[in-house]
PDB file of all heavy atoms in Angstrom:
ATOM      1  N   THR A 304      16.360   0.582 -15.629  1.00 98.00           N
ATOM      2  CA  THR A 304      15.966   1.080 -16.951  1.00 98.00           C
ATOM      3  C   THR A 304      16.925   2.128 -17.487  1.00 98.00           C
ATOM      4  O   THR A 304      17.187   2.181 -18.697  1.00 98.00           O
ATOM      5  CB  THR A 304      14.545   1.679 -16.877  1.00 98.00           C
ATOM      6  OG1 THR A 304      13.646   0.684 -16.407  1.00 98.00           O
ATOM      7  CG2 THR A 304      14.080   2.183 -18.231  1.00 98.00           C
ATOM      8  N   ASN A 305      17.449   2.974 -16.592  1.00 98.00           N
ATOM      9  CA  ASN A 305      18.319   4.076 -16.989  1.00 98.00           C
ATOM     10  C   ASN A 305      19.775   3.721 -16.703  1.00 98.00           C
ATOM     11  O   ASN A 305      20.181   3.637 -15.550  1.00 98.00           O
ATOM     12  CB  ASN A 305      17.934   5.349 -16.221  1.00 98.00           C
ATOM     13  CG  ASN A 305      16.548   5.837 -16.585  1.00 98.00           C
ATOM     14  OD1 ASN A 305      16.209   5.934 -17.752  1.00 98.00           O
ATOM     15  ND2 ASN A 305      15.724   6.131 -15.584  1.00 98.00           N
ATOM     16  N   PRO A 306      20.569   3.501 -17.739  1.00 98.00           N
ATOM     17  CA  PRO A 306      21.952   3.076 -17.522  1.00 98.00           C
ATOM     18  C   PRO A 306      22.774   4.165 -16.826  1.00 98.00           C
ATOM     19  O   PRO A 306      22.552   5.358 -17.026  1.00 98.00           O
ATOM     20  CB  PRO A 306      22.470   2.827 -18.941  1.00 98.00           C
ATOM     21  CG  PRO A 306      21.615   3.711 -19.804  1.00 98.00           C
ATOM     22  CD  PRO A 306      20.263   3.703 -19.158  1.00 98.00           C
ATOM     23  N   LYS A 307      23.742   3.712 -16.038  1.00 98.00           N
ATOM     24  CA  LYS A 307      24.696   4.653 -15.462  1.00 98.00           C
ATOM     25  C   LYS A 307      25.780   4.980 -16.475  1.00 98.00           C
ATOM     26  O   LYS A 307      26.325   6.089 -16.485  1.00 98.00           O
ATOM     27  CB  LYS A 307      25.324   4.061 -14.203  1.00 98.00           C
ATOM     28  CG  LYS A 307      26.287   5.017 -13.505  1.00 98.00           C
ATOM     29  CD  LYS A 307      26.725   4.499 -12.163  1.00 98.00           C
ATOM     30  CE  LYS A 307      27.653   5.490 -11.461  1.00 98.00           C
ATOM     31  NZ  LYS A 307      28.045   5.032 -10.107  1.00 98.00           N
ATOM     32  N   TYR A 308      26.079   4.020 -17.338  1.00 98.00           N
ATOM     33  CA  TYR A 308      27.173   4.180 -18.298  1.00 98.00           C
ATOM     34  C   TYR A 308      26.683   3.961 -19.719  1.00 98.00           C
ATOM     35  O   TYR A 308      25.981   2.980 -20.000  1.00 98.00           O
ATOM     36  CB  TYR A 308      28.291   3.165 -18.018  1.00 98.00           C
ATOM     37  CG  TYR A 308      28.898   3.269 -16.648  1.00 98.00           C
ATOM     38  CD1 TYR A 308      28.403   2.504 -15.590  1.00 98.00           C
ATOM     39  CD2 TYR A 308      29.960   4.137 -16.396  1.00 98.00           C
ATOM     40  CE1 TYR A 308      28.962   2.599 -14.323  1.00 98.00           C
ATOM     41  CE2 TYR A 308      30.524   4.232 -15.134  1.00 98.00           C
ATOM     42  CZ  TYR A 308      30.011   3.462 -14.103  1.00 98.00           C
ATOM     43  OH  TYR A 308      30.559   3.559 -12.846  1.00 98.00           O
ATOM     44  N   VAL A 309      27.031   4.865 -20.598  1.00 97.00           N
ATOM     45  CA  VAL A 309      27.000   4.606 -22.041  1.00 97.00           C
ATOM     46  C   VAL A 309      28.387   4.987 -22.560  1.00 97.00           C
ATOM     47  O   VAL A 309      29.077   5.810 -21.956  1.00 97.00           O
ATOM     48  CB  VAL A 309      25.899   5.401 -22.777  1.00 97.00           C
ATOM     49  CG1 VAL A 309      24.517   4.974 -22.308  1.00 97.00           C
ATOM     50  CG2 VAL A 309      26.094   6.903 -22.617  1.00 97.00           C
ATOM     51  N   LEU A 310      28.792   4.368 -23.644  1.00 97.00           N
ATOM     52  CA  LEU A 310      30.151   4.584 -24.160  1.00 97.00           C
ATOM     53  C   LEU A 310      30.163   5.807 -25.071  1.00 97.00           C
ATOM     54  O   LEU A 310      29.983   5.711 -26.288  1.00 97.00           O
ATOM     55  CB  LEU A 310      30.644   3.342 -24.891  1.00 97.00           C
ATOM     56  CG  LEU A 310      30.742   2.081 -24.036  1.00 97.00           C
ATOM     57  CD1 LEU A 310      31.425   0.961 -24.822  1.00 97.00           C
ATOM     58  CD2 LEU A 310      31.496   2.331 -22.727  1.00 97.00           C
ATOM     59  N   LYS A 311      30.392   6.947 -24.456  1.00 96.00           N
ATOM     60  CA  LYS A 311      30.436   8.194 -25.208  1.00 96.00           C
ATOM     61  C   LYS A 311      31.733   8.271 -26.014  1.00 96.00           C
ATOM     62  O   LYS A 311      32.713   7.597 -25.714  1.00 96.00           O
ATOM     63  CB  LYS A 311      30.317   9.375 -24.249  1.00 96.00           C
ATOM     64  CG  LYS A 311      28.980   9.410 -23.510  1.00 96.00           C
ATOM     65  CD  LYS A 311      28.929  10.612 -22.580  1.00 96.00           C
ATOM     66  CE  LYS A 311      27.590  10.715 -21.888  1.00 96.00           C
ATOM     67  NZ  LYS A 311      27.524  11.901 -21.009  1.00 96.00           N
ATOM     68  N   ASN A 312      31.729   9.140 -26.990  1.00 94.00           N
ATOM     69  CA  ASN A 312      32.853   9.174 -27.922  1.00 94.00           C
ATOM     70  C   ASN A 312      34.166   9.592 -27.280  1.00 94.00           C
ATOM     71  O   ASN A 312      35.229   9.077 -27.654  1.00 94.00           O
ATOM     72  CB  ASN A 312      32.524  10.095 -29.101  1.00 94.00           C
ATOM     73  CG  ASN A 312      31.736   9.372 -30.176  1.00 94.00           C
ATOM     74  OD1 ASN A 312      31.910   8.172 -30.379  1.00 94.00           O
ATOM     75  ND2 ASN A 312      30.863  10.079 -30.862  1.00 94.00           N
ATOM     76  N   HIS A 313      34.136  10.487 -26.318  1.00 95.00           N
ATOM     77  CA  HIS A 313      35.405  10.881 -25.705  1.00 95.00           C
ATOM     78  C   HIS A 313      35.987   9.745 -24.867  1.00 95.00           C
ATOM     79  O   HIS A 313      37.201   9.615 -24.743  1.00 95.00           O
ATOM     80  CB  HIS A 313      35.234  12.152 -24.853  1.00 95.00           C
ATOM     81  CG  HIS A 313      34.508  11.950 -23.566  1.00 95.00           C
ATOM     82  ND1 HIS A 313      33.132  11.834 -23.499  1.00 95.00           N
ATOM     83  CD2 HIS A 313      34.953  11.843 -22.280  1.00 95.00           C
ATOM     84  CE1 HIS A 313      32.774  11.677 -22.237  1.00 95.00           C
ATOM     85  NE2 HIS A 313      33.847  11.677 -21.478  1.00 95.00           N
ATOM     86  N   ILE A 314      35.112   8.881 -24.323  1.00 96.00           N
ATOM     87  CA  ILE A 314      35.580   7.709 -23.569  1.00 96.00           C
ATOM     88  C   ILE A 314      36.203   6.700 -24.531  1.00 96.00           C
ATOM     89  O   ILE A 314      37.276   6.144 -24.280  1.00 96.00           O
ATOM     90  CB  ILE A 314      34.414   7.081 -22.790  1.00 96.00           C
ATOM     91  CG1 ILE A 314      33.834   8.081 -21.786  1.00 96.00           C
ATOM     92  CG2 ILE A 314      34.855   5.804 -22.077  1.00 96.00           C
ATOM     93  CD1 ILE A 314      32.564   7.594 -21.100  1.00 96.00           C
ATOM     94  N   LEU A 315      35.519   6.448 -25.651  1.00 96.00           N
ATOM     95  CA  LEU A 315      36.052   5.526 -26.648  1.00 96.00           C
ATOM     96  C   LEU A 315      37.384   6.023 -27.201  1.00 96.00           C
ATOM     97  O   LEU A 315      38.309   5.235 -27.418  1.00 96.00           O
ATOM     98  CB  LEU A 315      35.047   5.352 -27.783  1.00 96.00           C
ATOM     99  CG  LEU A 315      33.766   4.591 -27.442  1.00 96.00           C
ATOM    100  CD1 LEU A 315      32.755   4.724 -28.570  1.00 96.00           C
ATOM    101  CD2 LEU A 315      34.057   3.132 -27.147  1.00 96.00           C
ATOM    102  N   GLN A 316      37.487   7.332 -27.410  1.00 95.00           N
ATOM    103  CA  GLN A 316      38.725   7.867 -27.959  1.00 95.00           C
ATOM    104  C   GLN A 316      39.892   7.670 -27.005  1.00 95.00           C
ATOM    105  O   GLN A 316      41.024   7.401 -27.437  1.00 95.00           O
ATOM    106  CB  GLN A 316      38.569   9.359 -28.294  1.00 95.00           C
ATOM    107  CG  GLN A 316      39.773   9.947 -29.003  1.00 95.00           C
ATOM    108  CD  GLN A 316      40.139   9.194 -30.272  1.00 95.00           C
ATOM    109  OE1 GLN A 316      39.285   8.952 -31.129  1.00 95.00           O
ATOM    110  NE2 GLN A 316      41.401   8.806 -30.405  1.00 95.00           N
ATOM    111  N   GLU A 317      39.641   7.778 -25.713  1.00 96.00           N
ATOM    112  CA  GLU A 317      40.703   7.530 -24.735  1.00 96.00           C
ATOM    113  C   GLU A 317      41.202   6.094 -24.839  1.00 96.00           C
ATOM    114  O   GLU A 317      42.415   5.833 -24.811  1.00 96.00           O
ATOM    115  CB  GLU A 317      40.181   7.812 -23.320  1.00 96.00           C
ATOM    116  CG  GLU A 317      41.239   7.646 -22.240  1.00 96.00           C
ATOM    117  CD  GLU A 317      40.705   7.920 -20.842  1.00 96.00           C
ATOM    118  OE1 GLU A 317      39.637   8.548 -20.711  1.00 96.00           O
ATOM    119  OE2 GLU A 317      41.373   7.493 -19.870  1.00 96.00           O
ATOM    120  N   ALA A 318      40.266   5.151 -24.981  1.00 97.00           N
ATOM    121  CA  ALA A 318      40.651   3.742 -25.120  1.00 97.00           C
ATOM    122  C   ALA A 318      41.411   3.508 -26.422  1.00 97.00           C
ATOM    123  O   ALA A 318      42.383   2.742 -26.454  1.00 97.00           O
ATOM    124  CB  ALA A 318      39.407   2.855 -25.061  1.00 97.00           C
ATOM    125  N   ILE A 319      40.978   4.166 -27.508  1.00 95.00           N
ATOM    126  CA  ILE A 319      41.640   4.009 -28.802  1.00 95.00           C
ATOM    127  C   ILE A 319      43.065   4.546 -28.749  1.00 95.00           C
ATOM    128  O   ILE A 319      44.016   3.909 -29.235  1.00 95.00           O
ATOM    129  CB  ILE A 319      40.822   4.729 -29.894  1.00 95.00           C
ATOM    130  CG1 ILE A 319      39.513   3.979 -30.148  1.00 95.00           C
ATOM    131  CG2 ILE A 319      41.628   4.862 -31.187  1.00 95.00           C
ATOM    132  CD1 ILE A 319      38.482   4.784 -30.918  1.00 95.00           C
ATOM    133  N   THR A 320      43.248   5.702 -28.145  1.00 95.00           N
ATOM    134  CA  THR A 320      44.583   6.303 -28.056  1.00 95.00           C
ATOM    135  C   THR A 320      45.545   5.384 -27.315  1.00 95.00           C
ATOM    136  O   THR A 320      46.694   5.188 -27.735  1.00 95.00           O
ATOM    137  CB  THR A 320      44.508   7.674 -27.355  1.00 95.00           C
ATOM    138  OG1 THR A 320      43.648   8.528 -28.117  1.00 95.00           O
ATOM    139  CG2 THR A 320      45.877   8.309 -27.239  1.00 95.00           C
ATOM    140  N   ARG A 321      45.071   4.795 -26.241  1.00 97.00           N
ATOM    141  CA  ARG A 321      45.929   3.868 -25.494  1.00 97.00           C
ATOM    142  C   ARG A 321      46.229   2.618 -26.322  1.00 97.00           C
ATOM    143  O   ARG A 321      47.360   2.125 -26.335  1.00 97.00           O
ATOM    144  CB  ARG A 321      45.259   3.476 -24.176  1.00 97.00           C
ATOM    145  CG  ARG A 321      45.116   4.607 -23.173  1.00 97.00           C
ATOM    146  CD  ARG A 321      44.708   4.027 -21.842  1.00 97.00           C
ATOM    147  NE  ARG A 321      44.242   5.030 -20.903  1.00 97.00           N
ATOM    148  CZ  ARG A 321      43.863   4.755 -19.655  1.00 97.00           C
ATOM    149  NH1 ARG A 321      43.888   3.505 -19.210  1.00 97.00           N
ATOM    150  NH2 ARG A 321      43.449   5.723 -18.860  1.00 97.00           N
ATOM    151  N   ALA A 322      45.196   2.105 -26.993  1.00 95.00           N
ATOM    152  CA  ALA A 322      45.383   0.870 -27.769  1.00 95.00           C
ATOM    153  C   ALA A 322      46.363   1.079 -28.910  1.00 95.00           C
ATOM    154  O   ALA A 322      47.126   0.168 -29.266  1.00 95.00           O
ATOM    155  CB  ALA A 322      44.037   0.383 -28.298  1.00 95.00           C
ATOM    156  N   GLU A 323      46.363   2.260 -29.502  1.00 92.00           N
ATOM    157  CA  GLU A 323      47.310   2.541 -30.581  1.00 92.00           C
ATOM    158  C   GLU A 323      48.746   2.572 -30.076  1.00 92.00           C
ATOM    159  O   GLU A 323      49.690   2.495 -30.873  1.00 92.00           O
ATOM    160  CB  GLU A 323      46.943   3.867 -31.252  1.00 92.00           C
ATOM    161  CG  GLU A 323      45.667   3.753 -32.094  1.00 92.00           C
ATOM    162  CD  GLU A 323      45.228   5.061 -32.711  1.00 92.00           C
ATOM    163  OE1 GLU A 323      45.578   6.134 -32.167  1.00 92.00           O
ATOM    164  OE2 GLU A 323      44.541   5.017 -33.755  1.00 92.00           O
ATOM    165  N   ASN A 324      48.885   2.652 -28.754  1.00 93.00           N
ATOM    166  CA  ASN A 324      50.209   2.557 -28.119  1.00 93.00           C
ATOM    167  C   ASN A 324      50.397   1.219 -27.403  1.00 93.00           C
ATOM    168  O   ASN A 324      51.159   1.120 -26.432  1.00 93.00           O
ATOM    169  CB  ASN A 324      50.405   3.720 -27.147  1.00 93.00           C
ATOM    170  CG  ASN A 324      50.526   5.048 -27.857  1.00 93.00           C
ATOM    171  OD1 ASN A 324      51.423   5.227 -28.682  1.00 93.00           O
ATOM    172  ND2 ASN A 324      49.624   5.970 -27.567  1.00 93.00           N
TER     173      ASN A 324
END
Side-chain angles (χ1 to χ4, degrees):
T304 302
N305 295 312
K307 183 171 182 177
Y308 301 92
V309 296
L310 299 188
K311 297 180 177 181
N312 276 328
H313 73 282
I314 299 173
L315 290 169
Q316 186 55 51
E317 183 180 342
I319 290 165
T320 300
R321 293 191 194 182
E323 288 177 335
N324 291 301

